[in-house]
Structure formats: structure tokens, C-alpha cells
Amino acid sequence: MAALTLPETDWRSRPGLDALTQVLGADEGLTRFVGGAVRDALLGIPVADLDLATALSPDEVLARLRAAGIRAVPTGLDHGTITAVLDSGPVEVTTLRRDVSTDGRHATVAFTDDWREDAARRDFTINALYADPNTGALFDYFGGLADLEARRVRFIGDPLRRIAEDHLRILRFFRFLARFGDTPDPEGLDACTAHARDLMALSRERIRDELLKLLVARDAVGVTALMLERGILEPVVPEITTAAKLAELADREARLGAAPDPIRRLAALLPRDPITGDLIGARLKLSNAHRKRLVLALTDGGTDDARALAYRIGREAAEDRLLLAAADDAEAAHGWAALTHWEIPRLPLTGGALVERGLAKGPDVARALRAVEDRWIAEGFPNAARVDAIADAVVAQALNAAISAKAASPGTGRE
């Protein structure tokens, strides 16, 4: 890549960051920016997380931070990671390390002062870039700059060994390909294909997190299709067999200006069956809210009245249904516009108000309240005055029905 130094970016001027790097010996070359922050700065995209790598031991990092009055949280001390909490946000500081042993899920590490050794244990070349905090000078040990320029995601060293160290790297390969890549590295792609079944050894939470991140990446559609072609998802989500519906959804999202959503996109990949959706939600250990959304997105139902739908199942679920199941773009666009800037109202009526109108407490009140609500929704959520009128009519009808039923019942007098 042409750049030899890190460009100036907003995050480099974060309050407290210069002081932090100085405390950790940046002037002596003991601490550098590393990983995603360097990569994303070079690509000119926003930086989410900020990481520092340091030749200082974890104990020395803790001692220096505390002496400087910087709050230090030992978030991963066994692996050399300490979080420095600045007023401008957290910064993860990790001591240089090398892998001693791995089992495909976890690694035992030893600390080192060798920058190349630290870089060698990372997954991809584009994630093994370092930058001097003072000068912005870049350090690239495995051709990451060239790969970044070529939009190529490539394992460091032998892909099979990298995957054996951590099976999650299979999914990370495709996620980074979807986010940054143009064409897959053939050797890495073949290694992921050969070891796809190793994903079964991972926790479902780790699989879920990577999959959901992948689904909202720049080329989620093309990369998901490639994963299906190579059988990558078959061991963990065999129900996913085609990316065609995902492609349709992505196109509709783009036309309507809807932000990509991972749960909605997951639904697009699944059979239109709420029971299957619930089972997959449980398998991937989705939150209760996300699991419910997935089930609703896969449940058949009308989309012609977007506001009524949103009132009954919630805004996000209604948007999912519109984007996934609307008969055509015109219907989806009409529903999307109806929900834009619209706040879901609350029915301006209580059961107590129906009791005051003469209904007896109990099932009759609940039935009447539902009847009022149904008419209120059908009329497009009119104001309180109209709701009162609807309530008067519903109560009158209920009372008249009760009188008629009583008159029609046989007498109970003595013979």
C-alpha cells in the first residue's frame, strides 16, 4: 500500500490518548497502535475500537497506569489485556505474546518483547499492522499493506495452522472478506472449506456473533453465496440453502434507504417457517427479543396496513415483515413511508372507563375493550373523542345484547 504512515484521523486526537501512550513508553518504542484501528484508518473508515500493543509486561502496564492516575481494568490479565479507561472511552492494552498451545477454541500464551512474534500469532495480514503513536510510522511484517491495497484477506502463514489454532477464524475469514475483500485468497478459501466441520466445536454464541456481523457487511450477499457453495454453514445452520432471498432483501433495503439489519437478514436466509426460526434462534442463543423478531419475520401475515401491523407486533417486526414479505416494491415503499416518523400510539381508553359506562367487571370488559381497539385500529387510530364515541357504541351494543339474552332465557320461578 502506498501509505507509509498512519493518516491523521479524529481518533488520534482523542483526549487523554497521547498521555496514555506516553505513560506506556511510546517515546521508547514500547507501545504501538495495532489491528483494526490501523487497518480502518488506512481505509478511511470509522474506527470503532482502539487497541494498543506493548512490550511492557501486564504488571508493568498496571503499575504505570495506576501511578499516572489512569483507571485500569484487568479485563483479560491471563492473556495480557488491560483496559485503560479514559474520559474519551476505553482503550485495550495488550502485552506482546506468542501462542504456547491451542485447542481450536482457546490459546495458552506466553509474553514476549518481539513484535514480529506477536504479529505472527494474529489471524490475517491486514489485522497485523502496527503504527507508532508519535510519528504514525507503520510496521508491516507479513505483507498486510499490499493485501489491504488489493482488498485481499489472507491468513498469516499456513491457513490450516491458523484455523487449527482457532476454528472461529473460518467465519472471520468470510466476515472480513465480506467487509474488506474483493476476491478470496484461494489457499485460505480451500483451508476453510476443508475444515468447515470444525465449527461444530465452537460455542454457539461465538458462531452467532460472527454470523450476525457478516450479514450486515458490504458484500454479505456474495460472500454468503460463496459460503453456501463451499458448504461452510452446513455444519451449524444446515437450514440455510440459498442466498437468493437475502439478495432480494438487500436490494429492497438499498432502494428504500433501510439500514441492513442482521436479524432481518438472517430471516431472509431461512425457510419461511416460524417453528424453524424459533429452533434456530434457540440454537444460536439469540436474545429473547431477537428470537421473537425472527419468529415474527417468518410468520405469514398481511402487510397492506403497515401502521396496524406495527401496532400489533411492534415497529421492528413490522419493518421486517414489510421488507421480507411485501408483494412488491410499491407495497413495501408505501408501508415504509407510513411508518417513517410515526410513533405507535396507545389506546386512550381503559377497562375502568367501560365499567363506568355500565359494564360489569370481568370478561365482558375485556371483550368490549378488544372490540373498541379493533375499531380504533381499523379507523386509523383516531383521537380520544372518537374513541369515546366508539366505546359508547360498543358498550351500548353489549348491554343490549345482555338484556336480549336475559329476556330470551327460560324463567326460574317456582311451580
Side-chain angles (χ1 to χ4, degrees):
M1 197 167 187
L4 297 177
T5 59
L6 195 67
E8 288 296 330
T9 59
D10 290 344
W11 62 264
R12 289 185 65 186
S13 58
R14 279 176 52 179
L17 185 58
D18 282 345
L20 172 64
T21 59
Q22 294 311 304
V23 164
L24 296 177
D27 285 347
E28 296 80 41
L30 297 175
T31 295
R32 299 171 181 170
F33 297 126
V34 67
V38 178
R39 177 199 65 222
D40 293 351
L42 291 169
L43 290 172
I45 61 180
V47 169
D49 301 312
L50 185 53
D51 297 299
L52 293 172
T54 182
L56 299 171
S57 71
D59 289 342
E60 180 66 14
V61 170
L62 278 173
R64 290 191 179 209
L65 293 179
R66 287 169 177 167
I70 299 173
R71 184 184 170 206
V73 181
T75 44
L77 203 55
D78 289 345
H79 287 79
T81 299
I82 295 159
T83 299
V85 183
L86 307 179
D87 290 342
S88 58
V91 178
E92 283 203 349
V93 183
T94 302
T95 297
L96 304 183
R97 53 196 177 171
R98 59 182 174 82
D99 287 339
V100 175
S101 63
T102 60
D103 63 4
R105 294 178 298 172
H106 309 289
T108 300
V109 301
F111 302 124
T112 180
D113 59 1
D114 187 322
W115 292 93
R116 184 183 180 87
E117 201 169 33
D118 182 75
R121 70 172 299 278
R122 296 176 182 269
D123 48 11
F124 309 113
T125 61
I126 61 173
N127 292 337
L129 300 171
Y130 303 76
D132 185 288
N134 295 334
T135 66
L138 297 172
F139 301 86
D140 176 16
Y141 301 97
F142 295 102
L145 291 172
D147 287 336
L148 202 59
E149 187 170 43
R151 294 280 183 170
R152 178 172 53 238
V153 178
R154 183 168 61 88
F155 284 101
I156 293 172
D158 179 7
L160 293 174
R161 180 177 176 183
R162 294 281 82 82
I163 291 170
E165 291 167 348
D166 185 352
H167 305 323
L168 192 68
R169 286 172 173 168
I170 296 171
L171 293 182
R172 285 175 61 81
F173 176 84
F174 290 101
R175 175 163 71 87
F176 280 93
L177 180 63
R179 187 177 179 197
F180 303 115
D182 284 338
T183 55
D185 175 62
E187 189 179 0
L189 180 59
D190 289 343
C192 290
T193 303
H195 286 270
R197 300 203 70 81
D198 291 349
L199 291 172
M200 296 175 70
L202 296 172
S203 74
R204 293 303 179 256
E205 291 91 342
R206 297 184 78 196
I207 292 172
R208 172 201 65 209
D209 291 347
E210 286 297 322
L211 180 59
L212 294 184
K213 290 176 184 176
L214 186 156
L215 288 177
V216 295
R218 175 182 60 92
D219 190 24
V221 175
V223 170
T224 300
L226 176 63
M227 294 172 76
L228 292 173
E229 177 187 323
R230 291 293 186 122
I232 304 298
L233 294 175
E234 195 277 334
V236 289
V237 197
E239 295 85 354
I240 299 176
T241 59
T242 176
K245 188 68 176 179
L246 176 61
E248 294 174 9
L249 171 62
D251 286 345
R252 183 168 281 178
E253 287 172 336
R255 286 192 291 271
L256 295 181
D261 181 274
I263 300 302
R264 183 188 305 138
R265 288 189 166 196
L266 176 60
L269 290 170
L270 300 177
R272 194 161 186 79
D273 173 20
I275 296 176
T276 299
D278 192 48
L279 291 173
I280 293 171
R283 187 190 311 154
L284 294 177
K285 298 189 181 298
L286 296 179
S287 69
N288 289 338
H290 283 167
R291 189 170 165 183
K292 181 179 179 181
R293 263 188 72 195
L294 188 62
V295 169
L296 287 170
L298 296 172
T299 301
D300 288 330
T303 61
D304 54 329
D305 189 336
R307 290 184 174 180
L309 188 63
Y311 178 83
R312 294 198 182 278
I313 67 175
R315 178 184 293 276
E316 284 185 322
E319 290 174 346
D320 295 341
R321 191 81 63 79
L322 280 167
L323 291 169
L324 288 165
D328 52 40
D329 279 351
E331 181 180 309
H334 178 75
W336 192 262
L339 293 181
T340 301
H341 306 306
W342 182 69
E343 295 296 327
I344 297 176
R346 294 182 63 180
L347 177 66
L349 186 74
T350 65
L354 298 181
V355 172
E356 290 175 358
R357 284 171 166 83
L359 286 184
K361 293 181 179 179
D364 287 347
V365 171
R367 281 193 293 270
L369 196 60
R370 283 196 298 271
V372 173
E373 184 179 46
D374 288 343
R375 287 181 59 178
W376 177 64
I377 294 170
E379 291 185 18
F381 309 96
N383 61 25
R386 176 57 187 155
V387 171
D388 283 339
I390 295 172
D392 290 341
V394 168
V395 169
Q397 183 178 18
L399 292 175
N400 288 334
I403 292 171
S404 298
K406 185 175 181 180
S409 64
T412 57
R414 297 179 182 177
E415 294 183 358

